[in-house]
Amino acid sequence: MNKGSGKVFGFRQEHDESIGRGHVIHSSPEMSPYLEFVLLQAFLFSKITAGSNVCSSSVPDIDYVLTGHVIRTLKLKTFESCTFSCEIEPKCFSINYVSSQGTCELNRATKDFFPGDVVKQNGAFYLDMVVRQFHRDRDPCESMRCENGGTCVVSPTLKCNCPDGYTGLRCQNLQQLGMESGDIPNDHIESSTFLVDNQAWKGRLNGNSCWRPAQSKNTEHIKVTFVSEKTVFAIATQGSPDNNFWIESYTLQYFADGSLKDTKKVYQANKDGTSIAINKFSQALQNVKWIRIHPRAWHSYIALRLEVYGY
């Protein structure tokens, strides 16, 4: 392998034609010696490919990571062991590395192919592997892995087209209808009764309060009215964020197509006050104007926060 000459960290790096294009890395005065060491290692990290005399190099992107393409996360790794782990993984084409935690993420793609998936993360850096290239003749949708019926499209930008009711880079998330975000107004959330400071509108998922009725009885309920008719896929519930109260099961009624309907099922809910329990319906509820939840069993006292999913 022919050797180039030059310096790094602010100076030009020159190479012979057999080595390829050089890179320039600039360092600021406040850059820590450890970070300089890591960057130097990353800059000099190279590999002679089998059957050739070509030496390649890769320059890290400081404070950036590639999201959505991680195939494996490794803990307590040095930079060297992280890059080696990628070398021996045939599907690895780049890494994200957090030096302070020793966290190593192996990616199945590169930033050049998925620039929209690069996000800022202080204290981390992204690095392409030089032992193999993510070629553009690969099927780009291989790395997308669209979920929940999403369809991968390549042009004008690579993405998953999500069906109604799903969001996220890969359509992996249910679409919220507005309890947590506040898009459902307070006056659209009602209840049979409530305690002072625990009104129905405080029963929003991940909120700092909750709905609590005046008494814990099977006759209590909370009702959410949508601004317009919705298709409902699922309901998420939580208990109280402050007390050891939650509902363990509930039934559901809803108003659609001009009549009151009942799902005729008891849904299992929470086992503590903070975790989220999601119940997805086997068939989506269509043309829903409002839903009403009736607690059927609870721990100590009825307490509820909720979200509704659909479109």
Side-chain angles (χ1 to χ4, degrees):
M1 179 177 69
N2 296 328
K3 294 184 178 179
S5 61
K7 298 180 181 180
V8 295
F9 300 121
F11 295 87
R12 183 176 302 277
Q13 178 77 9
E14 298 176 352
H15 291 269
D16 293 336
E17 289 298 322
S18 60
I19 295 177
R21 186 176 59 191
H23 302 278
V24 178
I25 299 179
H26 296 279
S27 66
S28 59
E30 64 274 14
M31 183 178 290
S32 69
Y34 177 73
L35 181 55
E36 289 196 3
F37 170 76
V38 171
L39 292 176
L40 180 60
Q41 295 238 30
F43 180 81
L44 297 177
F45 177 73
S46 61
K47 186 77 174 181
I48 302 176
T49 56
S52 75
N53 292 321
V54 177
C55 178
S56 302
S57 62
S58 180
V59 179
D61 288 279
I62 304 169
D63 291 336
Y64 286 91
V65 295
L66 181 68
T67 61
H69 302 278
V70 176
I71 56 175
R72 189 183 308 163
T73 300
L74 307 172
K75 302 293 186 180
L76 302 176
K77 285 284 186 178
T78 63
F79 168 75
E80 293 85 352
S81 64
C82 182
T83 56
F84 180 71
S85 296
C86 188
E87 282 190 47
I88 63 176
E89 168 52 64
K91 294 182 179 180
C92 181
F93 295 91
S94 65
I95 62 169
N96 303 319
Y97 186 70
V98 182
S99 59
S100 62
Q101 303 170 5
T103 300
C104 170
E105 294 180 336
L106 309 184
N107 301 317
R108 67 166 66 224
T110 66
K111 66 171 179 128
D112 291 336
F113 210 90
F114 298 91
D117 296 343
V118 176
V119 300
K120 189 172 183 61
Q121 180 177 324
N122 292 333
F125 69 83
Y126 163 89
L127 183 69
D128 284 329
M129 284 292 97
V130 298
V131 295
R132 65 182 67 89
Q133 299 296 317
F134 189 84
H135 298 292
R136 287 188 175 274
D137 57 0
R138 293 172 59 91
D139 179 5
C141 290
E142 179 183 332
S143 290
M144 289 307 291
R145 305 184 308 271
C146 301
E147 301 177 19
N148 295 308
T151 303
C152 177
V153 294
V154 177
S155 180
T157 59
L158 185 67
K159 66 176 183 177
C160 290
N161 278 343
C162 300
D164 290 336
Y166 293 95
T167 63
L169 181 66
R170 290 176 178 75
C171 312
Q172 72 275 19
N173 301 321
L174 286 163
Q175 180 174 304
Q176 296 183 343
L177 290 182
M179 285 294 288
E180 182 174 5
S181 67
D183 289 344
I184 296 176
N186 289 347
D187 60 4
H188 281 50
I189 309 168
E190 307 169 82
S191 61
S192 49
T193 64
F194 59 86
L195 291 175
V196 176
D197 294 330
N198 290 105
Q199 298 94 326
W201 62 267
K202 292 188 176 179
R204 298 180 182 273
L205 195 75
N206 292 320
N208 56 14
S209 186
C210 64
W211 167 62
R212 288 177 57 188
Q215 300 181 64
S216 289
K217 294 183 176 180
N218 287 332
T219 54
E220 302 288 354
H221 63 261
I222 184 170
K223 175 184 174 184
V224 178
T225 301
F226 304 114
V227 176
S228 59
E229 291 185 351
K230 301 294 183 183
T231 296
V232 177
F233 286 166
I235 292 178
T237 59
Q238 272 179 309
S240 169
D242 303 316
N243 302 294
N244 204 27
F245 306 147
W246 60 84
I247 66 169
E248 296 174 336
S249 63
Y250 62 90
T251 56
L252 180 70
Q253 291 181 314
Y254 63 101
F255 191 85
D257 299 321
S259 63
L260 179 64
K261 302 179 185 293
D262 193 322
T263 59
K264 301 184 184 302
K265 180 178 178 179
V266 177
Y267 299 93
Q268 298 305 304
N270 303 90
K271 297 181 179 180
D272 57 46
T274 56
S275 62
I276 298 173
I278 298 179
N279 280 294
K280 295 180 68 174
F281 306 123
S282 56
Q283 290 187 329
L285 312 181
Q286 305 287 341
N287 307 319
V288 179
K289 183 60 178 175
W290 54 257
I291 64 163
R292 190 162 60 201
I293 292 177
H294 298 262
R296 288 293 175 252
W298 48 87
H299 180 82
S300 299
Y301 205 100
I302 294 174
L304 179 62
R305 292 175 286 171
L306 71 118
E307 179 61 87
V308 188
Y309 301 95
Y311 66 93

